[in-house]
Each structure stands twice: as structure tokens, then as C-alpha cells.
Amino acid sequence: MMKWLHQLRWKLFVSHFIIVLMAYVVLLAAANVLTSLGWTSFAPLTLGAAAAETGQIHSGVTNEAVALQEQFQSVVQQSLLISGFAALTAAVLVSLFVSRRIVEPIQTLSNVSRRLAQGLYRERIYLQADDEIAQLAQSVNQLAEALDQTERRRLALLADVTHELRTPLATIGGYMEGLVDGVVSANPATFNLILRETRRLQRLIEDLELLSRVEAGQLPVVARAIDLRSVLEAQIAQFEPLFSSNQVTLSLDAPEQLPQVWADPDRVAQVLINILANAYRYTPAGGQVTVQVSTDDQEVRVAVIDSGIGIAAEHLPHLFERFYRVDKSRARNSGGSGIGLAIARHLIYAQGGEIWAESDGIGKGARFIFTLPLAPQMATIRLEPIASVDTVEAS
């Protein structure tokens, strides 16, 4: 078969043409059969019977009837031929038009899909229609947008990781070269500085590994009915000496009797560590940090409220994106990697809760709030790790 016969455009045309042609042939054959039966079987017999009874019709009438039949058949055939030709012409034109309207959008979809497979994620399809093909085009556009966002996040992550690794490596390399050249003294202070940068590099790598596992849903989150107050008290007791050394008051504001929550205590503790570490970094001496707990019929809400430097409104939506910093230089000097809040976000989502940040502005402190669901009456359900559907990069 010729190559063009395998194209959808010509398949549609041939199918339409065959349907019209078959209808035309059937119509022509049926017309011929019916006209023959009508004139030769019924009309002549009826006229012959009348002639035999009355004797008023002569044999010439039969010849006239035959001539009339042939004339009628000729007129019918000519009419069918003309109307059939007109129908075929109209069918060809309509088929070509319909085929074009169907095939061209499909060809566009195919071309865009091919370019998306090649990594050109900015490609889009624009169709002025509201049919199923337009809906398919919209779905392809949504897929392209998701791929484009994923690619941009991947490139941003590579740039951020490269930047974060470059700083400690440059510091370590500089001091090592100084030691080799004799420019830097080989004393405990120098070795402690190199050790501090090495540990910072190690923490960054561990955080990246943990974040990748959390985002992939590979970090085990096993929820059960737990006493949240005991988890909060344990973390506050752990952080209290550190806050006291910075002259910051750390306190717990929670009811004595808290309902049990459905969560993983280790993961809740990890979330608290990340949030309290942020509060410690950005709350100046003489400030106060309060862990406040409230409940309702569905969940328990935990808010870590500090009197620190505050956060501008434009930064609030991005705080949980990985590597995002309100002040990059300050966060880097204080040891923050910009990953802790991203980890906290995914861990809370994996336990069926929500997490967000609030602030009244610069110099007015901040509130980091997360929720956890209440434990069911019969705690027999096991919560498996959940991979977040919202893949916006967290920080």
C-alpha cells in the first residue's frame, strides 16, 4: 500500500467516500428493482384484468405502459446519477474539511510531544476549540508546565547545592594551602576552623540526603497514638540550656491534659528541632520563644512563637522552599543550610497535618504553626509514608 494510505487524513477520507459510494449503489439498485416490480408486476396485471372484463382496452395499451415504464426508469436513473454525483462531491469536500480539522490538531499534538521528549519544556499548544482534542491539548499543556517547573527546580537545586558546597570547600582549601605554604600557622585555632567547616559540609550532605528521602516518600513515618505534651517537654528541656546561654526565654504554653494525637513521635521531634533551631538563630538576647498548643475537635495545633527579627510578608510563601533564605549571608554565617524547614514541611504532610508561617512584619517576631490529627478511638491504623503531591521545592 502507498504510504499516504497510512495517514489518518486519507483514512478518514476513504472511509467517508466508501460509505457514500455504498449508499449510492444500494439506492440505485433498490430504485431499479422497485420500479421494475411496480410496473411489470402490479400495473400491467391490473390493467390487463380490467381490459378482459370491459373489452375497452386494446393490446396497444400494454406497449404504451412498457414505454412509460422505461421512460420512468430512465428518469429515475438519471436523477440518481446526478444526485449521486452531487452527493459524492459534497461528501469529498466535507470529508476533506473534517479530516483537516481533526488531523492538523493531532499533528500539532504529535510535534509538541516530540519536542517535549527532547527537553523543550516551553512548548505549548493553542487551539481555538472546545472539543475533546482541545481538552487533550490542554492536558498536554499542563504536562508541559509541570515538566518545565520540575526542570527549573532541578536546575535551581543544582545551583544551590553547588553554591553551598563551594563555600566550605573554598574555606578548607584556602587554609590548607596556607598551611602548606607556611602562611597560616598550624595551631589549634586553625585546625578548629577547618574542623568546623568540615562538620558544616557533613551536615549539609546529611540534610540533602534526608530531604531527598523525605521528598521521595522513603523516610518511614509510623504514626500511632502518642502524648504530644511529653514530646514537647522533652524537646524544650533539650533546647533550654542553649536558649538560656543566649539570654532567650523558652517556655511551654499548653493545657495539662492534651488529647492524644496520631503521629510519629520521632518525626514530630525532628520538626520541633528544625523550628526551634530557627527561632534560636533569629531571636536576639532578651527575647522570648513560646511553644503554644491548642486543640479542637479534629486536630491539635502547635505554634512556635518568637519575638525575633520578624519576616516580611513577601517572604512568607517561600520559607518552606529548599535553600530559600530571607537573608542569605546571615543564614550562612549562622550555620543554616536552608533545608530544615523543607524537611519539616514534608514530615508534617506525611503525618496528615499542615504547616505554615506567620509574621506581623520586620521586628515583630514570627509564628511557625503546624497541626496534627487527633488519634482515633481505636488506634489500629498504620500510617505509611506519603509522597507529597505538591512538589514545590521546600526550604
Side-chain angles (χ1 to χ4, degrees):
M1 302 249 335
M2 298 178 63
K3 183 177 180 181
W4 62 270
L5 287 177
H6 296 281
Q7 298 179 359
L8 181 60
R9 181 194 307 274
W10 297 111
K11 287 182 179 180
L12 289 171
F13 170 75
V14 172
S15 64
H16 292 166
F17 182 82
I18 292 175
I19 291 173
V20 174
L21 184 61
M22 289 179 62
Y24 171 69
V25 171
V26 171
L27 179 61
L28 183 62
N32 285 330
V33 171
L34 291 175
T35 53
S36 299
L37 289 176
W39 283 90
T40 60
S41 299
F42 299 102
L45 288 176
T46 304
L47 292 173
E53 293 177 0
T54 62
Q56 297 177 350
I57 298 181
H58 305 284
S59 60
V61 175
T62 302
N63 295 331
E64 182 180 351
V66 172
L68 184 60
Q69 176 191 352
E70 293 177 352
Q71 182 180 2
F72 177 74
Q73 287 180 334
S74 177
V75 171
V76 169
Q77 289 175 353
Q78 291 177 7
S79 301
L80 288 175
L81 286 173
I82 296 173
S83 60
F85 179 77
L88 283 175
T89 304
V92 169
L93 296 176
V94 172
S95 178
L96 291 175
F97 175 76
V98 172
S99 300
R100 180 180 179 184
R101 293 295 300 270
I102 294 176
V103 172
E104 287 189 354
I106 293 178
Q107 289 177 339
T108 303
L109 286 168
S110 178
N111 294 334
V112 171
S113 300
R114 190 180 302 111
R115 288 193 287 270
L116 289 176
Q118 296 171 353
L120 304 175
Y121 302 128
R122 300 293 178 88
E123 294 290 332
R124 297 294 185 271
I125 304 171
Y126 301 99
L127 298 178
Q128 299 296 328
D130 56 356
D131 54 10
E132 289 79 0
I133 296 181
Q135 294 175 5
L136 177 60
Q138 182 65 25
S139 299
V140 173
N141 287 340
Q142 293 175 355
L143 174 62
E145 182 66 25
L147 291 173
D148 189 25
Q149 292 180 2
T150 301
E151 179 66 11
R152 278 182 286 170
R153 287 196 295 268
R154 185 184 69 83
L155 295 176
L157 176 61
L158 288 175
D160 290 334
V161 170
T162 302
H163 181 73
E164 293 298 326
L165 294 177
R166 183 186 299 116
T167 302
L169 286 175
T171 302
I172 294 172
Y175 274 94
M176 294 303 296
E177 289 179 1
L179 289 172
V180 171
D181 296 338
V183 178
V184 178
S185 301
N187 53 46
T190 302
F191 293 129
N192 283 333
L193 190 148
I194 295 175
L195 179 61
R196 184 170 66 251
E197 292 297 319
T198 303
R199 287 175 176 172
R200 177 184 165 194
L201 189 61
Q202 182 179 2
R203 285 197 305 271
L204 175 61
I205 295 173
E206 291 174 351
D207 286 345
L208 285 172
E209 180 184 8
L210 179 59
L211 179 60
S212 65
R213 292 178 60 196
V214 170
E215 291 186 337
Q218 298 177 352
L219 193 67
V221 177
V222 182
R224 59 181 183 273
I226 64 171
D227 179 12
L228 182 61
R229 186 181 180 90
S230 62
V231 177
L232 298 176
E233 289 176 344
Q235 295 307 313
I236 289 176
Q238 178 180 343
F239 273 89
E240 202 279 330
L242 181 64
F243 277 76
S244 296
S245 65
N246 198 36
Q247 299 179 0
V248 176
T249 303
L250 177 61
S251 60
L252 174 64
D253 179 12
E256 288 296 329
Q257 297 295 328
L258 280 176
Q260 290 187 323
V261 297
W262 192 251
D264 186 329
D266 294 333
R267 304 310 175 197
V268 174
Q270 198 167 4
V271 171
L272 283 169
I273 289 173
N274 288 331
I275 296 177
L276 289 174
N278 271 355
Y280 170 75
R281 290 190 186 104
Y282 305 129
T283 303
Q288 182 174 358
V289 176
T290 303
V291 180
Q292 189 178 78
V293 185
S294 59
T295 64
D296 58 28
D297 295 336
Q298 300 294 328
E299 61 189 14
V300 172
R301 176 178 295 191
V302 180
V304 179
I305 306 170
D306 66 63
S307 60
I309 61 176
I311 306 169
E314 63 268 20
H315 296 297
L316 290 175
H318 306 288
L319 290 178
F320 296 92
E321 297 176 3
R322 53 178 173 243
F323 293 112
Y324 186 85
R325 294 190 182 90
V326 176
D327 185 337
K328 292 180 170 56
S329 61
R330 182 187 66 226
R332 185 173 293 111
N333 292 335
S334 63
S337 63
I339 300 178
L341 291 180
I343 296 173
R345 174 178 179 262
H346 284 280
L347 289 177
I348 289 297
Y349 283 178
Q351 297 175 87
E354 295 286 341
I355 186 169
W356 67 94
E358 298 176 353
S359 178
D360 296 329
I362 300 297
K364 298 181 179 180
R367 299 176 296 278
F368 286 85
I369 306 165
F370 66 88
T371 63
L372 293 170
L374 295 179
Q377 294 297 324
M378 299 298 292
T380 58
I381 305 173
R382 178 185 177 88
L383 182 64
E384 297 296 338
I386 300 175
S388 175
V389 175
D390 180 7
T391 57
V392 175
E393 303 153 335
S395 100

